[in-house]
């Protein structure tokens, strides 16, 4: 399955009996599939079906869908103005201007508000309206197909970027695993030096107990588990990228696990080289998680 980004834009046009139809749909990042709709006066009846069409295709994203209907000149469709509503809006705008210093409203701004301009309900027969609605819905489906294609193309680009981040995380993990500071002889020599320094600098130490404590500290400082978990997470990430689909939340959780292991690795580190690897790991993981936020 393909990956989808949550950002994209599409526009589709159609014509029905001289009526021009245009849908514009765009999406940005979002936690779920949230839809905002802007429809011309008299077309509110289409909102539910349009919203369901979007949510059927996409799992995540904030969507803005705008429908524009342009009727031919002389088609006999003359909008009427709800003058009482317009008058109330003008009074309210004047009060906002006087009380709060708001800018005066423009005529086109007031006319654009829903409910000010109304289309006569008797202009179209039920059959003609149903045919127009069907064309509008088909045009929306065409726009959604374009949007899906745009999101998939960006998703494939993100797949490559995220795969590169996983490769780098694996490289750093292997560097930490092979770091000379983890060799048994090196650890033993470092602990021996530290124990010798303590024994020579103070009296009253129980040498046997001190060696036991040193061995315990060495065990706590071992990063074998963190390395193994990082390798497992890299494999899981690659598997998710191959499977595709709506994996954004799963990869975000995986990024949190990566971050947890890198933090533990840094806290356990007893060598500057391991600390440096851990810090670079954190930087790459942050980049990985930032890109994951764009995935569906």
């Amino acid at each position: 399955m393909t990956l989808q980004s949550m950002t994209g834009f599409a526009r589709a046009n159609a014509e029905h009996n001289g009526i021009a139809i245009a849908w514009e749909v765009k999406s940005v990042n979002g936690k779920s599939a949230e839809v905002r709709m802007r429809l011309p006066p008299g077309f509110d009846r289409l909102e539910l079906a349009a919203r369901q069409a979007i949510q059927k295709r996409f799992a995540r994203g904030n969507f803005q869908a705008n429908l524009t209907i342009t009727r031919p000149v002389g088609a006999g469709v003359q909008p009427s103005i709800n003058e009482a509503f317009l008058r109330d809006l003008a009074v309210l705008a004047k009060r906002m201007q006087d009380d709060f210093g708001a800018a005066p409203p423009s005529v086109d701004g007031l006319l654009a508000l829903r409910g000010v301009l109304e289309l006569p309900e008797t202009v179209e027969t039920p059959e003609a309206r149903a045919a127009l609605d069907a064309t509008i819905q088909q045009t929306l489906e065409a726009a959604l197909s374009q949007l899906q294609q745009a999101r998939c193309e960006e998703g494939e680009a993100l797949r490559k970027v995220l795969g590169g981040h996983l490769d780098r995380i694996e490289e750093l993990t292997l560097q930490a695993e092979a770091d000379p500071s983890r060799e048994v002889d090196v650890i033993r020599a470092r602990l021996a030096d530290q124990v010798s320094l303590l024994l020579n600098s103070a009296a009253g130490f129980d040498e046997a107990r001190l060696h036991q404590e040193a061995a315990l500290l060495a065990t706590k400082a071992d990063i074998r588990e963190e390395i193994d978990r990082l390798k497992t997470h890299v494999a899981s990430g690659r598997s998710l990228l191959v499977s595709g689909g709506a994996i954004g939340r799963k990869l975000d959780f995986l990024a949190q696990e990566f971050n947890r292991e890198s933090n533990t690795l840094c806290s356990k580190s007893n060598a500057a080289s391991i600390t440096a690897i851990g810090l670079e790991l954190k930087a790459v993981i942050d980049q990985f998680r930032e890109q994951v936020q764009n995935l569906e």
Side-chain angles (χ1 to χ4, degrees):
M1 294 179 64
T2 59
L3 290 184
Q4 283 194 39
S5 163
M6 285 191 285
T7 59
F9 173 83
R11 178 182 176 89
N13 300 280
E15 186 270 340
H16 179 83
N17 292 339
I19 300 173
I21 302 166
W23 275 104
E24 285 189 355
V25 187
K26 64 180 179 180
S27 67
V28 295
N29 295 0
K31 293 183 178 180
S32 59
E34 300 178 7
V35 182
R36 290 179 296 170
M37 202 81 58
R38 182 178 298 171
L39 303 174
F43 288 87
D44 293 346
R45 63 185 183 273
L46 302 176
E47 180 171 352
L48 178 59
R51 187 180 301 276
Q52 290 175 341
I54 294 173
Q55 292 176 334
K56 181 180 179 180
R57 282 184 180 251
F58 304 103
R60 294 177 67 196
N62 283 325
F63 297 85
Q64 175 69 57
N66 300 330
L67 171 64
T68 302
I69 300 293
T70 306
R71 296 181 181 272
V73 177
V77 181
Q78 297 295 328
S80 61
I81 298 177
N82 187 335
E83 294 187 8
F85 184 40
L86 179 60
R87 190 178 300 109
D88 291 341
L89 289 174
V91 170
L92 177 60
K94 184 65 168 61
R95 186 188 307 162
M96 296 291 289
Q97 185 180 355
D98 294 341
D99 294 348
F100 303 104
S106 62
V107 174
D108 58 344
L110 288 175
L111 292 178
L113 294 175
R114 179 173 295 183
V116 176
L117 282 179
E118 298 176 339
L119 291 176
E121 293 294 329
T122 59
V123 170
E124 297 167 324
T125 65
E127 293 77 12
R129 173 174 294 183
L132 176 60
D133 289 355
T135 303
I136 293 173
Q137 192 69 21
Q138 292 169 5
T139 309
L140 174 61
E141 292 293 342
L144 295 181
S145 294
Q146 294 178 28
L147 178 64
Q148 191 170 34
Q149 179 63 29
R151 285 167 51 118
C152 286
E153 289 175 358
E154 187 171 339
E156 288 306 304
L158 284 173
R159 189 201 300 270
K160 296 177 182 178
V161 172
L162 292 171
H165 290 326
L166 289 175
D167 290 345
R168 184 56 181 156
I169 291 171
E170 183 179 52
E171 290 174 5
L172 291 169
T173 301
L174 294 177
Q175 286 180 25
E177 183 178 36
D179 192 86
S181 66
R182 298 189 64 247
E183 294 180 3
V184 175
D185 292 340
V186 175
I187 295 173
R188 183 183 294 111
R190 182 167 59 246
L191 288 174
D193 289 342
Q194 293 172 347
V195 169
S196 176
L197 180 63
L198 286 172
L199 289 174
N200 293 333
S201 61
F205 278 114
D206 183 336
E207 184 174 351
R209 179 60 184 272
L210 193 58
H211 278 285
Q212 291 176 2
E213 293 295 331
L216 180 61
L217 289 175
T219 301
K220 289 182 177 180
D222 184 61
I223 58 174
R224 178 74 263 166
E225 290 185 8
E226 286 69 33
I227 289 173
D228 289 342
R229 281 195 287 264
L230 283 169
K231 289 181 177 180
T232 300
H233 296 335
V234 167
S236 298
R238 286 173 173 159
S239 177
L240 285 171
L241 290 179
V242 170
S243 67
I247 60 172
R249 286 193 178 94
K250 293 179 180 179
L251 285 176
D252 185 55
F253 175 77
L254 190 64
Q256 297 178 44
E257 294 299 306
F258 273 133
N259 192 58
R260 182 177 293 109
E261 300 306 330
S262 65
N263 284 336
T264 306
L265 187 145
C266 286
S267 66
K268 283 187 172 184
S269 172
N270 54 13
S273 55
I274 295 294
T275 300
I277 291 172
L279 292 176
E280 188 171 353
L281 260 176
K282 289 173 64 65
V284 176
I285 291 166
D286 284 344
Q287 294 170 4
F288 177 84
R289 189 173 187 181
E290 183 178 349
Q291 294 297 333
V292 164
Q293 305 307 312
N294 298 317
L295 278 182
E296 184 181 52

